[in-house]
Amino acid sequence: MHFSRLIQDSLVLGLGLASLAAAMPKQIVARQSTWNPPSNLVTPLQQVWDHEVATYSNALGFKNYGYDQVMANGGYLNFCVRWDSSQNLSEAQRAQILTALQRSMKKWIDWLVGFDGFPYSSVPVNIVGYAVKSTSQLQGSTSGYDVYTTKDSGGIPECDPRCGRFFHQDGNYGSCPGGAARHYDQSLWLTDGFSGGAGGDWGQRIGTEYFLGAINSENIHILLHEMGHTFALDDFYDWTPTGVSNFIMLAGSSTVITDFDGWMMRDWWRHLKSRYNLSTPTSTTTTSRTTTAASTTRTTTPATTTTAVRTTTTTTTTRATTTGSSGGSPLYGQCGGTNWTGPTTCAQGTCTYSNAWYSQCL
Ligand SMILES: *[C@@H]1O[C@H](CO)[C@@H](O)[C@H](O)[C@H]1NC(C)=O
Ligand SMILES: *[C@@H]1O[C@H](CO)[C@@H](O)[C@H](O)[C@H]1NC(C)=O
Ligand SMILES: *[C@@H]1O[C@H](CO)[C@@H](O)[C@H](O)[C@H]1NC(C)=O
């Protein structure tokens, strides 16, 4: 059973970001190679970690976080774009989409570079495929892309499951027509009229209109937030850690990844890294931070055939499912999906289809 962590961030767009005080990017003065967060962040970081471990159903056993994907590949990430839209896409727009993904992913990865044994100085991002309603939507040359017109069970364009990491968490892409080199780790799922966003190990879903409107922005904040979920970071709908009130994972409170977000990510890395059998000690790691744009050349490094046991439990956030509501799943709770045995009605919200594996109360 490979349920993904999927969180709907319907609040993101609802808040007035212009009024936020902490929207200015903070200068990262010096990268630290060991766990040594600023003193004012120590307590809230511990609160977040304890909360995540207590509320995720298998926090330290799940094996498809963004970290796992980067490490399985040997230091890169492949995307497939689900173009769930009636619009056409020009070559120039597709180049912008790639640049936006690279710029956004780098903002997270830079928090790992040089930290505690993370072995890469950059993590190139490439787009290997597009799933569209009609091939005529992709104007110009589609060389370098696998183009899919297949749909998932909900009728939404879907990249070939045979090539998707979500469907092959053992890293075996033997059934992918292009082999491991053409696999994708995450989907960027762009949907007409979709507000807010959703993110998980499977990728990120945001609205077409929002994304295209923000595509050249330095900080595409909803995308950044959803990418945070891909790296195991939680939402903060029902509580706020002590002393921190503006950070990208607190939806609507920041348009940039803050120090607190970065240290929350590092907390995951330091707790997960033992599973990668890294050999070198951390303190001598060079902290050269390359600013080179991620290469658009697809690496042909095959995915490692790790023997990691795929977890059979979900990491869907279940924080609210313990509330003793009389009938149905709580707001943001799961209410359907393949093999889902829980409630299929919602105590609050409407059960909304996301994909074959997941419906959610929104
Ligand atoms: C659902 O359950 C059936 C029967 O146990 C199993 O064969 C199938 O793989 C499961 N599907 C998913 C998506 O986990
Ligand atoms: C998309 O492109 C096709 C083929 O070039 C064209 O026929 C169609 O009118 C375009 N659609 C839109 C919405 O621009
Ligand atoms: C790490 O080492 C353990 C023990 O030798 C082994 O079982 C595991 O498969 C290794 N993991 C990876 C990712 O190489």
Side-chain angles (χ1 to χ4, degrees):
M1 274 48 69
H2 42 212
F3 293 115
S4 71
R5 183 169 140 65
L6 188 151
I7 296 165
Q8 189 78 22
D9 300 307
S10 51
L11 300 180
V12 176
L13 279 180
L15 301 175
L17 285 159
S19 64
L20 296 173
M24 292 303 293
K26 283 184 189 161
Q27 187 72 35
I28 309 299
V29 183
R31 293 285 167 174
Q32 299 186 42
S33 61
T34 56
W35 180 254
N36 183 23
S39 57
N40 62 315
L41 301 185
V42 170
T43 296
L45 285 167
Q46 188 65 50
Q47 290 170 340
V48 168
W49 180 256
D50 291 345
H51 189 265
E52 287 168 335
V53 170
T55 56
Y56 294 9
S57 61
N58 191 15
L60 294 172
F62 187 71
K63 291 272 172 49
N64 196 32
Y65 296 123
Y67 316 94
D68 299 309
Q69 299 167 8
V70 169
M71 296 305 291
N73 288 345
Y76 70 93
L77 287 170
N78 280 351
F79 274 78
C80 193
V81 177
R82 302 182 69 177
W83 187 243
D84 184 15
S85 171
S86 57
Q87 296 188 49
N88 290 336
L89 273 180
S90 67
E91 275 188 61
Q93 284 175 307
R94 296 197 294 275
Q96 287 179 316
I97 291 172
L98 176 60
T99 302
L101 276 180
Q102 291 171 334
R103 181 173 64 245
S104 303
M105 187 59 73
K106 184 176 186 301
K107 288 179 186 297
W108 281 114
I109 294 296
D110 276 357
W111 277 97
L112 298 178
V113 172
F115 174 71
D116 199 16
F118 184 73
Y120 307 110
S121 58
S122 66
V123 173
V125 168
N126 194 24
I127 295 174
V128 294
Y130 270 84
V132 291
K133 295 179 180 180
S134 159
T135 53
S136 67
Q137 290 181 285
L138 299 179
Q139 298 166 335
S141 168
T142 55
S143 160
Y145 298 126
D146 293 313
V147 177
Y148 304 109
T149 53
T150 41
K151 296 178 169 64
D152 69 10
S153 61
I156 295 167
E158 180 184 55
C159 306
D160 193 336
R162 293 176 299 175
C163 304
R165 162 87 188 184
F166 179 80
F167 306 94
H168 300 280
Q169 295 177 23
D170 60 358
N172 182 351
Y173 300 105
S175 61
C176 176
R182 304 298 299 174
H183 90 280
Y184 59 93
D185 302 291
Q186 297 170 35
S187 295
L188 175 66
W189 181 0
L190 300 168
T191 299
D192 281 354
F194 188 78
S195 64
D201 60 325
W202 48 270
Q204 306 83 33
R205 183 184 189 187
I206 55 181
T208 316
E209 298 84 356
Y210 165 76
F211 182 66
L212 292 181
I215 197 162
N216 292 321
S217 305
E218 180 62 28
N219 292 285
I220 306 171
H221 66 91
I222 300 180
L223 179 60
L224 292 173
H225 176 105
E226 305 311 336
M227 282 182 168
H229 290 317
T230 306
F231 288 96
L233 302 187
D234 205 359
D235 269 313
F236 295 86
Y237 290 128
D238 50 359
W239 73 290
T240 310
T242 304
V244 283
S245 51
N246 297 104
F247 52 103
I248 200 91
M249 297 312 296
L250 179 61
S253 75
S254 174
T255 58
V256 299
I257 296 170
T258 66
D259 289 11
F260 188 64
D261 294 300
W263 282 100
M264 284 196 295
M265 181 195 215
R266 288 176 163 195
D267 215 354
W268 276 99
W269 169 258
R270 76 180 174 121
H271 282 99
L272 294 181
K273 65 169 187 167
S274 64
R275 63 170 66 167
Y276 307 124
N277 296 344
L278 300 164
S279 51
T280 35
T282 63
S283 54
T284 55
T285 306
T286 162
T287 56
S288 62
R289 288 202 295 135
T290 173
T291 53
T292 312
S295 164
T296 56
T297 310
R298 180 169 47 76
T299 169
T300 53
T301 309
T304 59
T305 52
T306 62
T307 55
V309 180
R310 192 161 57 124
T311 177
T312 56
T313 56
T314 171
T315 59
T316 302
T317 296
T318 54
R319 89 175 67 76
T321 55
T322 50
T323 57
S325 58
S326 49
S329 285
L331 192 61
Y332 306 117
Q334 186 170 1
C335 55
T338 308
N339 292 357
W340 168 249
T341 56
T344 54
T345 57
C346 296
Q348 196 185 344
T350 304
C351 190
T352 306
Y353 175 92
S354 286
N355 58 46
W357 296 273
Y358 201 91
S359 294
Q360 190 178 32
C361 296
L362 299 172

